[in-house]
Amino acid sequence: MNYPKLRIRNKEELRLERGHLWAFSNELLDLPKDLPAGSIVTLVREKNGQPIGTGFYNSHSLIAVRLLSRNPSEAIDADFFARAIRQSASRRKLLSERRNAYRLVHGESDGLPGLIIDRFNDVIAVQVLSAGFEAHKETIFDLLQREFSPAAIVEKNNSHLRKLEGLPLGELLVFGTNAVTEIQDERGTRFAIDVLAGQKTGFYLDQMENRTRLRDFVTKGDCVLDLFANDGGFAMNAALAGAASVVAVDESAPALERLKRNADLNGVSHCFETISSDCFDYLRNARDQNSKAEFDLIVLDPPALAKSKKDILVARKSYVTLNRIAMSLLKPNGTLLTCSCSHHIDREHFLEIIREAAGREGRTARILEERGAGIDHPILSAMPETAYLKCFIVSIG
């Protein structure tokens, strides 16, 4: 195809040839200002002009080119997007037979960089994170209607990453009359959700498998604390596994209202206590007010505390504080399920945080299991950026 050509500096193409999809602005020799953000370009080698691939271009972004295809003769059009979405759906076939909510397209990992599509029963949420897909989003909406016949499609463009692309924030029902539906996980846990009103894309799907796995660490009669509980994904599974009491803490009153509705839906409202509080404040108060540990299991699933490299130092201190105080509230040999969704806090860094928290608290931490995002959130092996969620199940002696 005869797309405008951009040259990448010698040796900078090696990462792309190994499967990475991003070319950064400082790696390119040409940064044409006359090409609109989201234009399709062909990236070529500086040395011999041979094509590397075709993708979206944005001169206003640090990520200047996002590759879509390695085939220079392939047109990037509606048929291309339809094929890619069908392929992505086929990779989730087994999962879609087990539950009615899953990530249909996971951006770079599914070869569609800057595009997130989540399916919640009969409602589809679309999140656009690149100028390229912003320019083609109407095509994506049409494809989704034709391929999946949803009752509603919601545009959930609420991510701070859009600002890096020069794109506005906004959420909108683009098809259908309402975005309220009910979903279930593999174990039959039910959630009533409003995709338009919910956080992120409407509901956090990346922890679905970790939530059901939590059941295997709950003993009947346990006392459970779920921090940053949101809609109660972990809390519901703990209650359904036999916990005698579940304390769910979140600073969002609307989230706790959704949690209460979900507790009613699952028939476990009798064992819930909901507390509207900043989770750091709750932990400090709980530590100061209690002379002995009282929980058998604690879930720590905070939002991303390090959204950029400059946040790492402060975020690290916050993670240590959270984990240390949580450990102090656990009974001997209690279980801590602790998570970080901050890409800039990598696996080794997070393990160091767990070790430091345990050491400072005088507790022994034994890693029982290491987990990540669910199988509908695949990791592209050539892009460490796609591996963001860390989840450790830890026995605290």
Side-chain angles (χ1 to χ4, degrees):
M1 300 303 295
N2 192 26
Y3 295 122
K5 293 181 173 58
L6 299 185
R7 293 181 299 155
I8 188 167
R9 299 179 189 277
N10 284 338
K11 298 184 179 179
E12 300 292 354
E13 78 277 8
L14 297 177
R15 184 183 72 259
L16 298 170
E17 290 175 342
R18 295 183 185 119
H20 206 283
L21 301 182
W22 295 346
F24 298 98
S25 56
N26 60 356
E27 297 173 335
L28 301 181
L29 289 167
D30 319 291
L31 284 174
K33 302 297 183 183
D34 56 336
L35 281 179
S39 295
I40 299 170
V41 299
T42 297
L43 194 62
V44 302
R45 296 172 180 83
E46 175 189 3
K47 197 169 190 177
N48 55 19
Q50 290 297 308
I52 295 170
T54 305
F56 291 135
Y57 170 68
N58 187 353
S59 65
H60 307 296
S61 173
L62 175 62
I63 305 171
V65 177
R66 299 171 188 257
L67 290 182
L68 292 158
S69 173
R70 304 283 174 173
N71 181 357
S73 63
E74 186 171 32
I76 307 299
D77 54 16
D79 289 339
F80 172 88
F81 297 133
R83 287 193 302 273
I85 290 173
R86 289 189 201 111
Q87 290 167 3
S88 185
S90 71
R91 286 189 284 272
R92 281 124 173 112
K93 185 177 185 299
L94 292 177
L95 182 63
S96 66
E97 293 172 353
R98 300 202 301 265
R99 69 186 201 218
N100 65 354
Y102 52 92
R103 176 148 293 181
L104 180 62
V105 172
H106 189 48
E108 281 72 1
S109 295
D110 284 305
L112 294 170
L115 180 65
I116 301 296
I117 303 175
D118 284 346
R119 187 169 188 177
F120 301 101
N121 193 10
D122 55 355
V123 178
I124 290 179
V126 179
Q127 188 172 77
V128 173
L129 303 175
S130 70
F133 275 112
E134 181 74 11
H136 291 85
K137 65 182 181 182
E138 297 301 329
T139 298
I140 300 301
F141 296 151
D142 291 342
L143 286 171
L144 292 173
Q145 289 183 53
R146 187 166 68 247
E147 295 287 330
F148 302 101
S149 303
I153 297 176
V154 181
E155 189 175 353
K156 295 288 288 185
N157 289 333
N158 51 18
S159 171
H160 73 282
L161 295 175
R162 283 178 60 87
K163 295 179 180 179
L164 304 179
E165 290 280 303
L167 301 173
L169 303 182
E171 299 175 79
L172 180 68
L173 182 66
V174 296
F175 171 75
T177 56
N178 75 76
V180 176
T181 190
E182 183 180 309
I183 63 173
Q184 292 186 13
D185 63 25
E186 295 95 321
R187 301 288 288 269
T189 316
R190 300 165 66 189
F191 300 96
I193 64 171
D194 184 336
V195 177
L196 185 59
Q199 295 181 5
K200 295 294 184 179
T201 62
F203 186 84
Y204 290 93
L205 291 174
D206 53 0
Q207 293 274 29
M208 288 284 271
E209 293 167 34
N210 297 333
R211 294 177 189 131
T212 55
R213 178 60 172 148
L214 177 72
R215 291 190 184 210
D216 298 322
F217 294 88
V218 176
T219 300
K220 189 173 182 180
D222 276 355
C223 297
V224 176
L225 172 63
D226 185 7
L227 294 156
F228 307 95
N230 200 256
D231 292 54
F234 283 108
M236 293 306 134
N237 277 281
L240 289 168
S245 66
V246 180
V247 179
V249 185
D250 200 287
E251 66 178 349
S252 168
L256 291 179
E257 287 303 312
R258 295 194 298 270
L259 185 150
K260 291 175 185 176
R261 289 198 296 271
N262 289 330
D264 290 337
L265 193 62
N266 287 282
V268 292
S269 56
H270 61 280
C271 66
F272 269 92
E273 177 186 359
T274 58
I275 298 175
S276 180
S277 170
D278 174 273
C279 289
F280 286 88
D281 291 340
Y282 171 85
L283 279 172
R284 293 187 184 99
N285 291 336
R287 178 190 58 191
D288 294 342
Q289 294 172 10
N290 290 284
S291 58
K292 62 187 179 79
E294 59 177 333
F295 293 105
D296 299 284
L297 188 151
I298 295 178
V299 175
L300 270 179
D301 184 24
L305 300 180
K307 294 185 177 180
S308 66
K309 288 184 178 180
K310 64 180 177 59
D311 299 327
I312 290 177
L313 185 60
V314 172
R316 190 184 189 287
K317 292 179 180 179
S318 296
Y319 279 119
V320 170
T321 297
L322 282 174
N323 283 273
R324 180 182 179 182
I325 301 178
M327 290 176 187
S328 76
L329 299 178
L330 276 169
K331 296 176 183 177
N333 299 314
T335 302
L336 174 66
L337 186 148
T338 182
C339 308
S340 168
C341 61
S342 298
H343 161 67
H344 297 284
I345 302 291
D346 63 21
R347 174 185 179 276
E348 291 304 319
H349 206 162
F350 196 50
L351 279 171
E352 289 175 8
I353 287 168
I354 295 171
R355 284 194 291 266
E356 180 177 340
R360 292 176 62 181
E361 196 56 35
R363 305 292 294 267
T364 300
R366 295 179 174 89
I367 307 296
L368 303 179
E369 190 169 336
E370 177 180 352
R371 302 178 63 86
I375 60 174
D376 53 338
H377 292 63
I379 298 168
L380 189 62
S381 62
M383 289 192 70
E385 296 88 348
T386 61
Y388 67 98
L389 181 62
K390 285 75 58 181
C391 176
F392 288 94
I393 301 175
V394 190
S395 174
I396 304 298

